[in-house]
Amino acid sequence: MIVIATAGDPTADALNGYAHTFVSTLDKPCTIWLDGAGATAAAIDLALGAHPGQPAFLFGHGAPSPSTGFRATCGNLVLDNLGITRLLPNRVVVGSFCDGQQVGAQASQVGFSMFGYRGGLVVPLWPQHAKMMEAAALAGPRHVAQGGSVRSAASVAARAYAHLAYRLNMSRSYDDFMAALVISINDPTYW
Amino acid sequence: MEAWLALMPEDVRTQPFVGLAAGGETLSPEDMISEVRNGTELGDRFLDAAIGLMAAKDLQQRAIRFPQGSDTGRFSRASDSGRVLQPTPRPKKDGLLE
């Protein structure tokens, strides 16, 4: 299992925190754990290239259309069209980043499966809400790490987001309502 | 959403509130409301979610009351527009109605 989490801005840092929780709660240690400054484009390319077929869990920034890919901490894109063809065949990919459809659209043609997000992955940045979203954000990755399919992971994640949004929506606080709103627009899916 | 913005201290309105996992973009509460006002794709998704959540909240808070039917012998349902359902009279053993 390969886990990659970038860092360097509030959103990536929040997702990086989720990745730390994910890694610390895995049943068995991951093969490669690229974290923060270590998650450069070269390091990601090397890790994926050296371990074909291993599930890859990525936390950070995607690339909106018309681009395709995952942005490394150094700022360079990996998993562009060439990278997808070279690095992703016969692999399960879990993409906790925006615009997963840009990568996932090639899944059937290249031969990989992917859990990810259609459109934006929106992370609340106020600390109490960022922490609250962690369980929902990790529901899909944990399901795949435990051997579940990307299809059922999408379903599990959607329910986790819905339950969290429901709970926040019952609060009398406007801030909680807005957090519920933010969280409920996340659209986990699979390819 | 406008009410939420109005209640917020001035300095908090412009602080990052959410982040998008694409390029590190962050949105303050004011930015988010602007997205909605301007009808961007993200703004529309926020608005759709807001409508759904507000409807769910409204449903939960709406009074759907069942009067003390067992005490009064009268039952009503909110969906019946005020129509009152009477319990069916049961015959006594001697054939007279209760």
Side-chain angles (χ1 to χ4, degrees):
Chain A
M1 183 181 303
I2 298 166
V3 184
I4 297 163
T6 60
D9 62 73
T11 314
D13 290 348
L15 290 167
N16 186 284
Y18 298 165
H20 272 260
T21 301
F22 175 67
V23 167
S24 69
T25 54
L26 285 171
D27 291 337
K28 52 185 179 183
C30 46
T31 313
I32 301 280
W33 167 218
L34 294 178
D35 177 26
T40 62
I44 295 170
D45 195 290
L46 187 64
L48 293 174
H51 300 90
Q54 284 217 12
F57 296 77
L58 299 103
F59 296 82
H61 293 304
S65 174
S67 296
T68 297
F70 176 74
R71 194 167 298 283
T73 300
C74 63
N76 293 330
L77 273 182
V78 288
L79 301 183
D80 57 2
N81 291 328
L82 184 61
I84 289 170
T85 309
R86 193 165 50 84
L87 299 170
L88 297 190
N90 304 312
R91 196 189 294 277
V92 178
V93 180
V94 174
S96 298
F97 53 81
C98 278
D99 297 299
Q101 75 281 353
Q102 296 299 108
V103 175
Q106 301 181 55
S108 60
Q109 190 183 345
V110 172
F112 64 95
S113 61
M114 179 173 171
F115 164 88
Y117 292 85
R118 188 180 288 112
L121 167 54
V122 187
V123 183
L125 296 178
W126 286 343
Q128 73 275 26
H129 295 124
K131 188 64 186 167
M132 277 182 194
M133 195 175 107
E134 183 175 81
L138 292 182
R142 279 179 171 147
H143 187 78
V144 174
Q146 289 162 2
S149 70
V150 293
R151 179 179 186 162
S152 55
S155 172
V156 165
R159 284 203 301 275
Y161 280 113
H163 283 150
L164 177 57
Y166 175 84
R167 196 152 50 86
L168 285 168
N169 194 33
M170 292 303 107
S171 159
R172 291 179 178 275
S173 151
Y174 271 108
D175 290 350
D176 284 349
F177 171 70
M178 293 308 288
L181 200 165
V182 164
I183 284 163
S184 65
I185 70 168
N186 286 326
D187 185 12
T189 188
Y190 69 98
W191 296 272
Chain B
M1 284 188 280
E2 304 280 350
W4 174 66
L5 204 59
L7 286 171
M8 195 169 285
E10 198 74 37
D11 56 331
V12 179
R13 291 183 193 182
T14 53
Q15 296 297 314
F17 165 61
V18 296
L20 293 169
E25 186 186 356
T26 57
L27 297 173
S28 69
E30 278 191 354
D31 294 334
M32 197 163 70
I33 303 302
S34 293
E35 294 276 331
V36 175
R37 285 186 186 135
N38 295 333
T40 64
E41 185 187 344
L42 183 65
D44 286 349
R45 287 177 67 181
F46 272 115
L47 194 56
D48 286 345
I51 290 166
L53 289 180
M54 288 167 82
K57 194 163 191 157
D58 183 52
L59 268 178
Q60 214 218 17
Q61 290 175 346
R62 189 188 296 268
I64 302 177
R65 301 184 193 286
F66 294 90
Q68 300 300 309
S70 56
D71 294 333
T72 63
R74 293 159 68 87
F75 302 86
S76 67
R77 291 182 297 190
S79 60
D80 287 329
S81 307
R83 184 163 62 97
V84 175
L85 306 179
Q86 298 285 357
T88 306
R90 288 178 298 169
K92 283 184 175 176
K93 283 182 180 173
D94 58 7
L96 298 172
L97 294 179
E98 269 185 328

mmCIF file of all heavy atoms in Angstrom, chain A residues 126 128 175, chain B residues 4-5 7-18 27-32:
data_model
loop_
_atom_site.group_PDB
_atom_site.id
_atom_site.type_symbol
_atom_site.label_atom_id
_atom_site.label_comp_id
_atom_site.label_asym_id
_atom_site.label_seq_id
_atom_site.Cartn_x
_atom_site.Cartn_y
_atom_site.Cartn_z
ATOM 1 N N TRP A 126 -12.305 25.760 9.409
ATOM 2 C CA TRP A 126 -12.398 26.082 10.824
ATOM 3 C C TRP A 126 -12.108 24.801 11.588
ATOM 4 O O TRP A 126 -12.685 23.735 11.271
ATOM 5 C CB TRP A 126 -13.773 26.650 11.170
ATOM 6 C CG TRP A 126 -13.939 28.056 10.674
ATOM 7 C CD1 TRP A 126 -12.944 28.894 10.286
ATOM 8 C CD2 TRP A 126 -15.154 28.776 10.499
ATOM 9 N NE1 TRP A 126 -13.468 30.098 9.880
ATOM 10 C CE2 TRP A 126 -14.816 30.053 10.008
ATOM 11 C CE3 TRP A 126 -16.498 28.474 10.721
ATOM 12 C CZ2 TRP A 126 -15.775 31.027 9.734
ATOM 13 C CZ3 TRP A 126 -17.449 29.448 10.448
ATOM 14 C CH2 TRP A 126 -17.095 30.711 9.967
ATOM 15 N N GLN A 128 -12.741 23.095 14.306
ATOM 16 C CA GLN A 128 -13.686 22.105 14.841
ATOM 17 C C GLN A 128 -14.386 21.361 13.698
ATOM 18 O O GLN A 128 -14.649 20.154 13.811
ATOM 19 C CB GLN A 128 -14.720 22.748 15.789
ATOM 20 C CG GLN A 128 -15.787 23.596 15.143
ATOM 21 C CD GLN A 128 -15.355 25.035 14.911
ATOM 22 O OE1 GLN A 128 -14.156 25.320 14.778
ATOM 23 N NE2 GLN A 128 -16.305 25.943 14.845
ATOM 24 N N ASP A 175 -22.959 28.527 12.014
ATOM 25 C CA ASP A 175 -21.670 28.016 11.557
ATOM 26 C C ASP A 175 -21.767 26.515 11.263
ATOM 27 O O ASP A 175 -21.220 26.030 10.271
ATOM 28 C CB ASP A 175 -20.596 28.262 12.615
ATOM 29 C CG ASP A 175 -20.258 29.734 12.740
ATOM 30 O OD1 ASP A 175 -20.710 30.523 11.881
ATOM 31 O OD2 ASP A 175 -19.554 30.102 13.686
ATOM 32 N N TRP B 4 -26.500 34.579 7.875
ATOM 33 C CA TRP B 4 -25.287 34.066 8.515
ATOM 34 C C TRP B 4 -24.151 35.065 8.359
ATOM 35 O O TRP B 4 -23.429 35.372 9.316
ATOM 36 C CB TRP B 4 -24.936 32.739 7.858
ATOM 37 C CG TRP B 4 -23.641 32.123 8.284
ATOM 38 C CD1 TRP B 4 -23.327 31.642 9.515
ATOM 39 C CD2 TRP B 4 -22.493 31.898 7.474
ATOM 40 N NE1 TRP B 4 -22.054 31.129 9.518
ATOM 41 C CE2 TRP B 4 -21.526 31.275 8.280
ATOM 42 C CE3 TRP B 4 -22.192 32.158 6.135
ATOM 43 C CZ2 TRP B 4 -20.270 30.914 7.790
ATOM 44 C CZ3 TRP B 4 -20.952 31.793 5.651
ATOM 45 C CH2 TRP B 4 -20.006 31.183 6.474
ATOM 46 N N LEU B 5 -24.027 35.620 7.160
ATOM 47 C CA LEU B 5 -22.973 36.595 6.890
ATOM 48 C C LEU B 5 -23.168 37.850 7.744
ATOM 49 O O LEU B 5 -22.223 38.390 8.307
ATOM 50 C CB LEU B 5 -23.006 36.957 5.401
ATOM 51 C CG LEU B 5 -21.728 37.477 4.773
ATOM 52 C CD1 LEU B 5 -20.601 36.472 4.913
ATOM 53 C CD2 LEU B 5 -21.972 37.777 3.289
ATOM 54 N N LEU B 7 -24.534 38.145 10.593
ATOM 55 C CA LEU B 7 -24.280 37.907 12.016
ATOM 56 C C LEU B 7 -22.789 37.824 12.342
ATOM 57 O O LEU B 7 -22.398 37.901 13.497
ATOM 58 C CB LEU B 7 -24.938 36.586 12.447
ATOM 59 C CG LEU B 7 -26.453 36.585 12.598
ATOM 60 C CD1 LEU B 7 -26.949 35.163 12.807
ATOM 61 C CD2 LEU B 7 -26.874 37.467 13.764
ATOM 62 N N MET B 8 -22.000 37.669 11.321
ATOM 63 C CA MET B 8 -20.584 37.355 11.528
ATOM 64 C C MET B 8 -19.751 38.609 11.771
ATOM 65 O O MET B 8 -19.977 39.629 11.115
ATOM 66 C CB MET B 8 -20.111 36.659 10.250
ATOM 67 C CG MET B 8 -18.811 35.955 10.380
ATOM 68 S SD MET B 8 -18.592 34.958 8.920
ATOM 69 C CE MET B 8 -19.715 33.656 9.294
ATOM 70 N N PRO B 9 -18.802 38.563 12.711
ATOM 71 C CA PRO B 9 -17.907 39.718 12.892
ATOM 72 C C PRO B 9 -17.181 40.052 11.585
ATOM 73 O O PRO B 9 -16.847 39.145 10.811
ATOM 74 C CB PRO B 9 -16.920 39.244 13.960
ATOM 75 C CG PRO B 9 -17.584 38.108 14.649
ATOM 76 C CD PRO B 9 -18.491 37.472 13.642
ATOM 77 N N GLU B 10 -16.944 41.338 11.377
ATOM 78 C CA GLU B 10 -16.365 41.826 10.115
ATOM 79 C C GLU B 10 -15.074 41.079 9.728
ATOM 80 O O GLU B 10 -14.909 40.670 8.578
ATOM 81 C CB GLU B 10 -16.069 43.316 10.254
ATOM 82 C CG GLU B 10 -15.869 44.049 8.940
ATOM 83 C CD GLU B 10 -17.190 44.274 8.195
ATOM 84 O OE1 GLU B 10 -18.215 44.537 8.844
ATOM 85 O OE2 GLU B 10 -17.165 44.168 6.969
ATOM 86 N N ASP B 11 -14.196 40.878 10.712
ATOM 87 C CA ASP B 11 -12.895 40.280 10.385
ATOM 88 C C ASP B 11 -13.008 38.797 10.029
ATOM 89 O O ASP B 11 -12.178 38.260 9.301
ATOM 90 C CB ASP B 11 -11.904 40.466 11.549
ATOM 91 C CG ASP B 11 -12.431 39.899 12.856
ATOM 92 O OD1 ASP B 11 -13.661 39.874 13.037
ATOM 93 O OD2 ASP B 11 -11.611 39.470 13.687
ATOM 94 N N VAL B 12 -14.048 38.145 10.517
ATOM 95 C CA VAL B 12 -14.200 36.705 10.234
ATOM 96 C C VAL B 12 -14.743 36.488 8.823
ATOM 97 O O VAL B 12 -14.445 35.475 8.185
ATOM 98 C CB VAL B 12 -15.130 36.050 11.285
ATOM 99 C CG1 VAL B 12 -15.327 34.566 11.005
ATOM 100 C CG2 VAL B 12 -14.561 36.245 12.683
ATOM 101 N N ARG B 13 -15.505 37.463 8.328
ATOM 102 C CA ARG B 13 -16.133 37.299 7.008
ATOM 103 C C ARG B 13 -15.126 37.081 5.897
ATOM 104 O O ARG B 13 -15.432 36.468 4.883
ATOM 105 C CB ARG B 13 -16.935 38.555 6.645
ATOM 106 C CG ARG B 13 -18.158 38.774 7.465
ATOM 107 C CD ARG B 13 -18.867 39.998 6.946
ATOM 108 N NE ARG B 13 -19.891 40.439 7.863
ATOM 109 C CZ ARG B 13 -20.684 41.479 7.626
ATOM 110 N NH1 ARG B 13 -20.547 42.181 6.516
ATOM 111 N NH2 ARG B 13 -21.595 41.824 8.501
ATOM 112 N N THR B 14 -13.926 37.629 6.077
ATOM 113 C CA THR B 14 -12.941 37.564 4.997
ATOM 114 C C THR B 14 -11.855 36.525 5.258
ATOM 115 O O THR B 14 -10.920 36.404 4.481
ATOM 116 C CB THR B 14 -12.285 38.946 4.796
ATOM 117 O OG1 THR B 14 -11.782 39.391 6.057
ATOM 118 C CG2 THR B 14 -13.293 39.954 4.283
ATOM 119 N N GLN B 15 -12.004 35.782 6.359
ATOM 120 C CA GLN B 15 -11.023 34.730 6.663
ATOM 121 C C GLN B 15 -11.396 33.447 5.912
ATOM 122 O O GLN B 15 -12.580 33.170 5.713
ATOM 123 C CB GLN B 15 -11.017 34.432 8.164
ATOM 124 C CG GLN B 15 -10.562 35.597 9.024
ATOM 125 C CD GLN B 15 -9.127 35.991 8.737
ATOM 126 O OE1 GLN B 15 -8.253 35.141 8.647
ATOM 127 N NE2 GLN B 15 -8.901 37.279 8.532
ATOM 128 N N PRO B 16 -10.389 32.654 5.508
ATOM 129 C CA PRO B 16 -10.701 31.400 4.825
ATOM 130 C C PRO B 16 -11.633 30.525 5.663
ATOM 131 O O PRO B 16 -11.423 30.368 6.854
ATOM 132 C CB PRO B 16 -9.337 30.725 4.669
ATOM 133 C CG PRO B 16 -8.366 31.843 4.706
ATOM 134 C CD PRO B 16 -8.949 32.874 5.631
ATOM 135 N N PHE B 17 -12.629 30.015 5.014
ATOM 136 C CA PHE B 17 -13.623 29.173 5.679
ATOM 137 C C PHE B 17 -13.586 27.768 5.117
ATOM 138 O O PHE B 17 -13.688 26.793 5.851
ATOM 139 C CB PHE B 17 -15.002 29.816 5.477
ATOM 140 C CG PHE B 17 -16.169 28.922 5.793
ATOM 141 C CD1 PHE B 17 -16.347 28.407 7.058
ATOM 142 C CD2 PHE B 17 -17.100 28.614 4.814
ATOM 143 C CE1 PHE B 17 -17.436 27.586 7.355
ATOM 144 C CE2 PHE B 17 -18.190 27.790 5.096
ATOM 145 C CZ PHE B 17 -18.360 27.276 6.371
ATOM 146 N N VAL B 18 -13.431 27.660 3.822
ATOM 147 C CA VAL B 18 -13.310 26.342 3.198
ATOM 148 C C VAL B 18 -12.154 26.334 2.202
ATOM 149 O O VAL B 18 -11.777 27.378 1.671
ATOM 150 C CB VAL B 18 -14.600 25.915 2.445
ATOM 151 C CG1 VAL B 18 -15.753 25.748 3.389
ATOM 152 C CG2 VAL B 18 -14.936 26.882 1.340
ATOM 153 N N LEU B 27 -11.823 29.802 0.275
ATOM 154 C CA LEU B 27 -12.941 30.734 0.174
ATOM 155 C C LEU B 27 -13.294 31.238 1.564
ATOM 156 O O LEU B 27 -13.382 30.460 2.512
ATOM 157 C CB LEU B 27 -14.180 30.038 -0.411
ATOM 158 C CG LEU B 27 -14.095 29.495 -1.830
ATOM 159 C CD1 LEU B 27 -15.358 28.707 -2.160
ATOM 160 C CD2 LEU B 27 -13.910 30.612 -2.823
ATOM 161 N N SER B 28 -13.499 32.552 1.669
ATOM 162 C CA SER B 28 -14.008 33.134 2.904
ATOM 163 C C SER B 28 -15.535 33.065 2.844
ATOM 164 O O SER B 28 -16.113 32.789 1.780
ATOM 165 C CB SER B 28 -13.558 34.588 3.006
ATOM 166 O OG SER B 28 -14.235 35.350 2.020
ATOM 167 N N PRO B 29 -16.199 33.314 3.974
ATOM 168 C CA PRO B 29 -17.667 33.366 3.909
ATOM 169 C C PRO B 29 -18.172 34.343 2.840
ATOM 170 O O PRO B 29 -19.111 34.031 2.111
ATOM 171 C CB PRO B 29 -18.045 33.812 5.320
ATOM 172 C CG PRO B 29 -16.960 33.249 6.173
ATOM 173 C CD PRO B 29 -15.711 33.391 5.359
ATOM 174 N N GLU B 30 -17.536 35.512 2.728
ATOM 175 C CA GLU B 30 -17.966 36.478 1.690
ATOM 176 C C GLU B 30 -17.767 35.913 0.296
ATOM 177 O O GLU B 30 -18.625 36.069 -0.582
ATOM 178 C CB GLU B 30 -17.180 37.790 1.840
ATOM 179 C CG GLU B 30 -17.746 38.698 2.892
ATOM 180 C CD GLU B 30 -17.140 40.086 2.846
ATOM 181 O OE1 GLU B 30 -16.182 40.314 2.066
ATOM 182 O OE2 GLU B 30 -17.612 40.947 3.602
ATOM 183 N N ASP B 31 -16.633 35.250 0.082
ATOM 184 C CA ASP B 31 -16.376 34.639 -1.239
ATOM 185 C C ASP B 31 -17.449 33.612 -1.572
ATOM 186 O O ASP B 31 -17.910 33.509 -2.710
ATOM 187 C CB ASP B 31 -15.021 33.910 -1.247
ATOM 188 C CG ASP B 31 -13.844 34.857 -1.078
ATOM 189 O OD1 ASP B 31 -13.978 36.027 -1.433
ATOM 190 O OD2 ASP B 31 -12.806 34.396 -0.575
ATOM 191 N N MET B 32 -17.803 32.835 -0.541
ATOM 192 C CA MET B 32 -18.755 31.749 -0.780
ATOM 193 C C MET B 32 -20.122 32.303 -1.171
ATOM 194 O O MET B 32 -20.771 31.796 -2.094
ATOM 195 C CB MET B 32 -18.868 30.892 0.478
ATOM 196 C CG MET B 32 -19.493 29.552 0.226
ATOM 197 S SD MET B 32 -19.182 28.432 1.568
ATOM 198 C CE MET B 32 -20.180 29.170 2.824
#
